Amino acid sequence: MKAFRFSLQAILTLREEREQEAQRHYARKLRAAEVINTALEAVVQQLLLLGTEQNSRLQNGMPASDLERLGNYRILLDERRARLNQDLALARQAADQAQAALLKATQDRQALEDYRKKLHRTYDYALARDEQKLLDDLASRGPTLAGDWRRAPETSIP
């Protein structure tokens, strides 16, 4: 019997490549969201430090020009935080879409892989059945000439 050959192997290979590309795309989207989140955490930390510094300087007395400068800086940080929050929401949405695409690519590949496994099991079963038929055929045959010669030493030639 011929060796097992999966006729859809080229399609399976393409689906595996598509799944790997979807994995890389998803990883890039997650990394982008992580970078934005890190930047957002840094801005929040700057806002906290600014609040602490502003309170400290207010208690010790502070010129109005410095108060105005710190207020403007706070506004700038608040705007940056709002923009980063929007960017983070968009990045997470993109990551969710990439995850959905990855899931679809994985399911497509898995369906074809399951089909290949089913065909391979069928092939293995047919191979085992043919082998058993051959063994049964060999077992049902009568003794061969060589077997008869070994059993009858009394008819040996002098």
Side-chain angles (χ1 to χ4, degrees), residues 2-158:
K2 290 192 254 181
F4 177 76
R5 183 179 171 283
F6 184 51
S7 61
L8 300 175
Q9 184 61 44
I11 296 172
L12 179 60
T13 302
L14 288 174
R15 287 189 180 178
E16 288 170 345
E17 290 171 0
R18 188 177 301 151
E19 180 185 19
Q20 290 171 357
E21 178 56 36
Q23 287 173 342
R24 288 188 293 271
H25 181 69
Y26 178 52
R28 285 190 303 267
K29 294 300 180 182
L30 281 179
R31 180 68 184 134
E34 183 181 313
V35 167
I36 294 170
N37 192 45
T38 302
L40 180 61
E41 289 174 357
V43 168
V44 168
Q45 187 65 29
Q46 287 176 341
L47 277 168
L48 291 174
L49 290 173
L50 179 65
T52 303
E53 181 183 349
Q54 191 174 11
N55 287 339
S56 165
R57 293 179 82 187
L58 277 174
Q59 289 176 353
N60 297 331
M62 164 168 132
S65 62
D66 287 350
L67 183 60
E68 181 183 5
R69 201 170 339 114
L70 288 176
N72 288 339
Y73 186 55
R74 176 179 286 285
I75 291 170
L76 176 74
L77 288 177
D78 283 335
E79 289 172 356
R80 191 176 296 165
R81 180 178 59 182
R83 186 173 24 88
L84 285 172
N85 275 326
Q86 290 174 349
D87 291 348
L88 182 60
L90 291 174
R92 286 182 176 163
Q93 183 181 17
D96 290 344
Q97 291 172 351
Q99 184 181 26
L102 173 59
L103 180 62
K104 172 90 171 78
T106 300
Q107 288 172 342
D108 289 347
R109 183 212 32 95
Q110 189 64 45
L112 201 54
E113 183 69 30
D114 290 346
Y115 180 63
R116 186 192 68 77
K117 287 179 183 176
K118 179 182 175 186
L119 289 179
H120 200 278
R121 280 194 306 270
T122 303
Y123 169 82
D124 287 343
Y125 176 75
L127 188 65
R129 191 180 64 231
D130 288 348
E131 186 178 338
Q132 186 62 47
K133 282 181 185 177
L134 178 65
L135 292 174
D136 289 346
D137 186 44
L138 289 174
S140 66
R141 289 185 182 178
T144 62
L145 292 175
D148 288 344
W149 175 74
R150 289 185 188 141
R151 287 191 201 144
E154 61 276 350
T155 59
S156 61
I157 302 174

